[in-house]
Amino acid sequence: MLYGIVAATTALLLAAVLAALLRAPALRLGLLDRRQRQRRVPLSGGVSVALATCLVVVAGDRTGFAPLGEGMGTLLAAGSGVAALGLIADAWRLKTRFLLVGTAVAAAFVVPYGDTGVAAGVAAVGWIACVALAFRALDHADGVAGTVGLVTAFGVAACAAAEVMDGLAVLLSVLAAALTGFLMHNWPPARVALGGCGAMFTGFLLAAAAVTARAGQDAATGAGVLFALTAVAVADAVLVVLARHTAGRPLLRRGPDHLAHRLRRLGLTPAGVTVTVGAAAFAAVLVGTLVHTGGLGARAVLWVAGGVLVVVLVLWRVRARVPGQGRRGPDARYARERRTGRDVSPRQGGRRRPAAVVRPPRESAESAGMAGATGSAGSAEPVESPLRASRRMASSQVSGSLRVRNG
């Protein structure tokens, strides 16, 4: 008990200090995320959360105060690999399919196939990889990913403690403390962000720990518990996929159409969005934890599923500010370019496509004669470009010299 308090306090302070110290190097290296197109937020929070969690947990295991137990070292190593993969994605913008494959490979080493079976184990590998990427997508607004991860960590730790998995419970408690220290810098307005490194690390550990805690029990109830524990991340992913598919936009292209963006369109403040999403995550995690411990029946998960469905359908009707979609809510840059007549064609390969040059129709001889007649009457004459005027003068000089030479 005493070690748990010391470990949690150490992880909280270490994550807070590392997030502050690594902020300046992240700015110099260009590890940034743009929030609301006007704030540059360094992605140093993810490194601080991963380092604080790994250092405190490894120190407790090496000193013997809190041994991790069988399989926990592999889980921590795989989570560190996923964090490194997310850091590479933050620096070099890896494609999503590479992140999915890399996370699935790491998940394949931590799933207890002896308790789950081969078929359920393969499904668990895919689920862990998808949850890790869903948490990465949650890091689209200040405080959202950290708050959801903190609440989920406490819920999964309670499930692990109910199964007498002390090492797993300690690991998740340290992760929750590290996320709390990170939130000291990430609460709106955020000074640091998780990025792919911290978000994928958090999502991977939570999903893998939930699978480990539910291994060997009823598969249908286990699926419901896993869904309830990650309901907010699932709702955000389903909302984005549904909105982009119906609008005909690429599924993997970033845009302001996530859960927090639509809540902001309803008038909530940034802090209000974080509190609302955190409260929703708490309710869903509480249901999942009670179902796992037997406090509620398995059908209670249906209430969570119904709530997710209602939230997705309601927020789907909220118009998102998507750049380049005309009346669907263009941003200020797009609207300004529309007004000034500049090229607003989408980029291809980092460069803009050349705008089409619109040439005025060539005037016929009859229209030119009519224009001359009306011009002599005092009406407005058509404006002639300097290039066309110079060409006309040159041709008239040449024709005049030819007439002189020919007599």
Side-chain angles (χ1 to χ4, degrees):
M1 181 66 180
L2 179 60
Y3 173 78
I5 297 175
V6 173
T9 306
T10 304
L12 187 152
L13 296 178
L14 185 58
V17 171
L18 286 176
L21 293 178
L22 296 176
R23 186 175 185 275
L27 287 172
R28 287 195 297 267
L29 294 175
L31 294 176
L32 304 172
D33 185 23
R34 292 191 176 274
R35 300 287 169 88
Q36 302 173 355
R37 295 185 173 272
Q38 55 192 10
R39 292 192 295 115
R40 299 188 307 165
V41 183
L43 303 177
S44 60
V47 179
S48 65
V49 169
L51 284 178
T53 303
C54 293
L55 290 176
V56 173
V57 171
V58 170
D61 181 64
R62 293 294 178 87
T63 56
F65 286 103
L68 290 177
E70 184 180 359
M72 293 300 100
T74 304
L75 175 59
L76 192 62
S80 301
V82 172
L85 183 63
L87 183 61
I88 294 174
D90 291 336
W92 286 286
R93 307 299 181 188
L94 288 181
K95 294 184 178 180
T96 305
R97 60 174 175 267
F98 296 132
L99 297 177
L100 182 63
V101 171
T103 308
V105 171
F109 288 96
V110 301
V111 173
Y113 299 99
D115 296 329
T116 62
V118 177
V122 173
V125 167
W127 185 78
I128 292 172
C130 292
V131 168
L133 293 181
F135 265 84
R136 179 174 181 256
L138 270 182
D139 190 36
H140 58 266
D142 300 347
V144 172
T147 302
V148 174
L150 171 63
V151 172
T152 308
F154 279 121
V156 181
C159 295
E163 300 299 326
V164 199
M165 297 180 177
D166 296 334
L168 187 59
V170 169
L171 173 60
L172 294 172
S173 300
V174 171
L175 174 63
L179 288 172
T180 305
F182 159 74
L183 282 173
M184 296 172 64
H185 301 277
N186 186 245
W187 193 260
R191 299 182 68 249
V192 297
L194 275 177
C197 175
M200 293 180 63
F201 175 79
T202 301
F204 179 85
L205 285 186
L206 293 176
V211 168
T212 303
R214 285 297 309 179
Q217 303 185 31
D218 181 65
T221 305
V225 170
L226 296 180
F227 166 75
L229 292 175
T230 58
V232 171
V234 171
D236 181 71
V238 172
L239 175 62
V240 170
V241 170
L242 177 63
R244 294 180 184 179
H245 177 72
T246 54
R249 299 192 303 271
L251 295 179
L252 301 181
R253 180 176 296 176
R254 296 184 61 181
D257 51 358
H258 286 267
L259 195 66
H261 298 137
R262 296 175 186 271
L263 290 176
R264 289 280 288 133
R265 294 284 292 171
L266 292 177
L268 273 69
T269 63
V273 169
T274 303
V275 172
T276 301
V277 174
F282 175 78
V285 168
L286 180 61
V287 171
T289 304
L290 291 177
V291 171
H292 175 79
T293 56
L296 290 176
R299 292 187 177 182
V301 178
L302 296 178
W303 290 97
V304 179
V308 169
L309 181 62
V310 171
V311 168
V312 169
L313 293 179
V314 170
L315 293 183
W316 177 45
R317 305 300 301 175
V318 177
R319 188 177 63 179
R321 298 180 61 88
V322 180
Q325 293 296 325
R327 294 183 179 180
R328 293 182 182 273
D331 60 358
R333 178 189 62 80
Y334 186 81
R336 184 169 59 253
E337 291 182 356
R338 284 287 301 272
R339 290 194 299 268
T340 56
R342 294 170 56 192
D343 177 28
V344 293
S345 56
R347 296 177 180 266
Q348 288 187 349
R351 298 181 179 179
R352 287 186 182 272
R353 293 187 301 182
V357 179
V358 180
R359 300 182 181 277
R362 186 172 296 176
E363 298 179 353
S364 61
E366 182 180 358
S367 61
M370 293 178 62
T374 55
S376 60
S379 61
E381 297 183 359
V383 180
E384 188 175 22
S385 64
L387 181 59
R388 182 173 296 180
S390 61
R391 289 180 179 177
R392 180 177 55 78
M393 294 177 61
S395 61
S396 62
Q397 292 175 0
V398 172
S399 60
S401 61
L402 290 178
R403 285 196 299 271
V404 170
R405 289 183 182 181
N406 294 333

